[in-house]
Amino acid sequence: MSEWPISFQDVIEARRRLRPYLPPTPVRQYPTLDAEVGGGISVLVKHENHNPTNAFKARNGLSLMSSLSAEERARGVVAPTRGNHGLGLANAGRLLGVPVTICVPVGNNPEKNEAMRALGATVIEEGADFDEAVEVAERLVKEKGLRMGHSVNEPMVVAGAGTITLEILEQVTALDAMAIAVGGGSQAVGAMTVLRTLKPEVKVYGVQAEGAPTIHDSWHAGKPVTGRGADTFADGVATRNAYELTFPALQKGLAGFVKVSDAEIAEAIRILLRTTHNLVEPAGAVGFAGLMKLREELAGKTVAVIISGGNIDTPTLRRVLNGEI
């Protein structure tokens, strides 16, 4: 397999397919946020939480589903998720008339489960974590002939995520770096696919939760490593594997890779709420938490972060605001 899973043209084609359904999301700058970060850093915030389903994965789901053949659509799509990918696929299934089955672990965010069901998806709750939900989805592929719609190992998923950075470059005049959350890597690899063609001098930094460090540790080791767990309240990045489709590109393209604690993620949510007045789910704040950690290295730069989702459930939000995390 090539170290780069998609082409720039794949991203252009994904945007063409998405445009009838998804208008561009805004990029905004907040003086109070810049002051909070300090170091002369100008922070550009890409509001993917303003998408339908309140997350960037509305792009990924539509990019994948709109690329399927008529035969694949008729079979139906199954996918493992902690929520946002499932919401994106459920939304795309509703728009395009494709039956969708979503596999989530037991104890998954109940508000996300309810939202997926409301969009018409069948939701199966089984397994202890995301990776066990993957096994459930793989079983349904074998038993029922459903078409797998993995959240990472799908080129058209990565192409959909790449449209985020394509929009950013159309919306801003200056950009030096991006700090991007990594769960499976679709946002970061999509970003680097666009930047290597249009603005190769822009650096991309990966950010992962300390409680789910597999891809971070693999990147620093120079090869995939195993045995790391996934214990973080940022469920959207709670993965235990380095993925075949995205890891080689992450390894080749990232300028750096840092980890952030749950406490740092919670503080990032509070800062973003106070300065932008947007609700941000834990995984959606990971990129900004990474920027806070990279402040010395990025002093004086213009840096984009992505609020990748706003689907924080009420109990978690209460704990964050009460300083319990």
Side-chain angles (χ1 to χ4, degrees), residues 21-278:
Y21 307 101
L22 295 178
T25 58
V27 173
R28 293 178 181 152
Q29 189 168 3
Y30 300 87
T32 51
L33 184 59
D34 290 350
E36 186 81 38
V37 174
I41 297 173
S42 296
V43 185
L44 304 175
V45 180
K46 180 65 166 169
H47 280 286
E48 288 298 288
N49 56 313
H50 292 185
N51 271 313
T53 77
N54 308 310
F56 86 98
K57 291 192 175 181
R59 299 175 187 268
N60 295 14
L62 269 168
S63 177
L64 173 61
M65 297 282 257
S66 62
S67 71
L68 297 181
S69 67
E71 183 272 336
E72 288 174 313
R73 295 187 189 193
R75 282 160 50 196
V77 172
V78 64
T81 186
R82 291 303 303 263
N84 284 341
H85 180 61
L87 285 166
L89 286 177
N91 181 60
R94 184 182 65 163
L95 292 171
L96 301 175
V98 180
V100 173
T101 301
I102 300 299
C103 301
V104 302
V106 174
N108 194 58
N109 183 324
E111 294 178 12
K112 289 182 179 179
N113 292 351
E114 180 183 6
M116 287 184 283
R117 290 188 173 105
L119 287 167
T122 298
V123 178
I124 297 173
E125 300 177 62
E126 185 177 337
D129 59 16
F130 173 77
D131 292 276
E132 291 191 8
V134 172
E135 295 173 4
V136 176
E138 289 172 342
R139 187 184 74 221
L140 291 174
V141 170
K142 294 177 182 177
E143 292 177 355
K144 298 187 176 182
L146 302 178
R147 204 281 191 188
M148 176 67 84
H150 197 277
S151 60
V152 182
N153 285 326
E154 287 278 359
M156 291 304 99
V157 161
V158 179
T163 63
I164 300 170
T165 300
L166 191 61
E167 287 181 9
I168 290 173
L169 295 186
E170 294 168 344
Q171 292 166 312
V172 306
T173 56
L175 182 64
D176 298 308
M178 299 181 70
I180 300 180
V182 175
S186 68
Q187 284 185 82
V189 175
M192 292 186 293
T193 301
V194 171
L195 292 169
R196 69 205 294 253
T197 296
L198 297 182
K199 211 169 177 63
E201 69 275 15
V202 175
K203 295 181 177 181
V204 177
Y205 295 84
V207 189
Q208 195 165 39
E210 282 183 357
T214 299
I215 299 180
H216 168 276
D217 293 354
S218 298
W219 188 86
H220 283 278
K223 61 182 180 180
V225 298
T226 59
R228 275 58 169 176
D231 182 14
T232 172
F233 85 122
D235 56 6
V237 294
T239 53
R240 289 194 279 119
N241 291 302
Y243 294 95
E244 178 185 3
L245 189 73
T246 54
F247 182 70
L250 293 170
Q251 192 171 29
K252 180 177 177 61
L254 289 178
F257 207 152
V258 298
K259 293 186 291 189
V260 291
S261 67
D262 278 5
E264 288 168 326
I265 297 168
E267 178 63 11
I269 294 172
R270 290 188 287 267
I271 291 171
L272 289 167
L273 178 59
R274 185 170 69 250
T275 58
T276 76
H277 299 287
N278 278 255

Side-chain angles (χ1 to χ4, degrees), residues 260-308:
V260 291
S261 67
D262 278 5
E264 288 168 326
I265 297 168
E267 178 63 11
I269 294 172
R270 290 188 287 267
I271 291 171
L272 289 167
L273 178 59
R274 185 170 69 250
T275 58
T276 76
H277 299 287
N278 278 255
L279 284 179
V280 186
E281 66 185 86
V286 166
F288 177 70
L291 169 59
M292 297 293 281
K293 206 150 198 173
L294 291 160
R295 280 182 290 185
E296 289 188 13
E297 184 170 347
L298 297 175
K301 304 295 186 181
T302 298
V303 184
V305 297
I306 301 166
I307 295 183
S308 57

